[in-house]
Amino acid sequence: MESFFSAFVSSGTDTSLSIWGAIGYALVACVLGIIISVTYMRTGVTSKNFARTLIVLPVLVCVVMLAVNGNLGTGLGVVGAFSLVRFRSLQGSSRDIGFVFFAMAIGIVCAIGELLLAGIFTVLICVIHIILSVCKFAEADSNEKDLRITIPENLDYSEIFDDLFAKYTKTHLLLSVRTTNMGSMYEIEYRIKLKNDLEEKKLLDDIRMRNGNLTVICGRCDMSDVGQL
């Protein structure tokens, strides 16, 4: 593969590629991006737009690196600026962020001409993702649920629901507390395991009676979260 693409390198300088050489590198980056995107779709919850972006991202990174004519520092600066668009628009999960850096890294490796290395590491990292997905490594218990409760600021949240948790849950863990509605309310997030799933409505009703009928949300926890019971 390396000898094939070396034919596209112009004879002027080592850092300059002909237009066909650049297209060749970009096509390889696109193929590897497809592999990365398929792995993303097969190993967890998927987003259509994000899966498509993973195909395009290595190509864009590769083109940017080639456009700066081998100046690695300038290329990384421009690519870093582009990557901020993702994080400013929507906070992704750690898995999404990992795939972003994966795709960017492969694009950079393709741009410097190490096509074989890019292919090897794409396959290796994708295989690792597939193995971890099949083995369900570090996945949360499917019986765990996230419970979000809103309470007025005049209530002490430290032990207000302990008796209800003792009655309805096997285990409970306080994950976070944050202020909301201009500081007039608190939003408390717990990770719980119910003793009996059929009693979920009773738990929510009892909580609503105690928090003044403010918002209560209970649902399956995000499997990508690291906080487990």
Side-chain angles (χ1 to χ4, degrees):
M1 181 180 291
E2 295 292 341
S3 60
F4 173 76
F5 283 102
S6 65
F8 291 116
V9 180
S10 63
S11 59
T13 63
D14 293 336
T15 58
S16 297
L17 285 177
S18 68
I19 185 64
W20 294 111
I23 292 174
Y25 284 11
L27 287 176
V28 174
C30 181
V31 171
L32 298 180
I34 293 174
I35 297 174
I36 294 172
S37 181
V38 171
T39 302
Y40 170 78
M41 292 187 294
R42 292 290 185 268
T43 57
V45 179
T46 63
S47 164
K48 177 185 68 174
N49 291 333
F50 188 71
R52 293 175 179 176
T53 300
L54 288 176
I55 299 175
V56 179
L57 186 58
V59 181
L60 294 177
V61 172
C62 180
V63 170
V64 169
M65 293 294 295
L66 293 173
V68 297
N69 197 26
N71 189 323
L72 184 60
T74 303
L76 289 176
V78 174
V79 169
F82 285 167
S83 68
L84 291 178
V85 175
R86 166 68 183 173
F87 304 118
R88 286 173 61 88
S89 60
L90 177 65
Q91 180 61 44
S93 68
S94 57
R95 175 172 171 266
D96 289 353
I97 295 172
F99 271 94
V100 167
F101 283 111
F102 181 15
M104 290 176 61
I106 294 304
I108 293 173
V109 176
C110 288
I112 63 176
E114 297 292 342
L115 304 179
L116 181 60
L117 181 65
I120 291 174
F121 275 95
T122 297
V123 173
L124 176 62
I125 296 175
C126 287
V127 168
I128 292 174
H129 274 289
I130 292 172
I131 292 175
L132 293 177
S133 176
V134 171
C135 296
K136 298 183 178 180
F137 180 80
E139 283 193 4
D141 190 332
S142 60
N143 292 324
E144 291 181 4
K145 294 186 177 182
D146 279 339
L147 178 65
R148 293 182 176 89
I149 306 172
T150 302
I151 63 172
E153 61 176 345
N154 62 336
L155 290 182
D156 182 5
Y157 59 81
S158 56
E159 298 179 352
I160 186 174
F161 302 114
D162 283 1
D163 58 326
L164 298 181
F165 290 144
K167 179 180 179 181
Y168 292 106
T169 69
K170 296 178 182 178
T171 55
H172 69 278
L173 177 67
L174 177 62
L175 296 181
S176 65
V177 179
R178 69 172 185 173
T179 60
T180 184
N181 197 25
M182 302 295 291
S184 62
M185 297 180 183
Y186 287 100
E187 185 179 90
I188 316 169
E189 182 175 2
Y190 296 93
R191 180 68 51 79
I192 65 172
K193 286 184 181 179
L194 292 171
K195 293 179 180 178
N196 184 351
D197 288 340
L198 298 179
E199 293 186 335
E200 180 178 324
K201 183 179 183 302
K202 294 181 180 179
L203 171 62
L204 298 184
D205 289 340
D206 287 349
I207 292 175
R208 288 171 52 233
M209 292 179 63
R210 194 163 298 184
N211 76 336
N213 205 29
L214 294 176
T215 302
V216 181
I217 302 174
C218 185
R220 295 294 182 185
C221 62
D222 182 359
M223 295 303 181
S224 65
D225 288 345
V226 296
Q228 299 183 25
L229 298 180

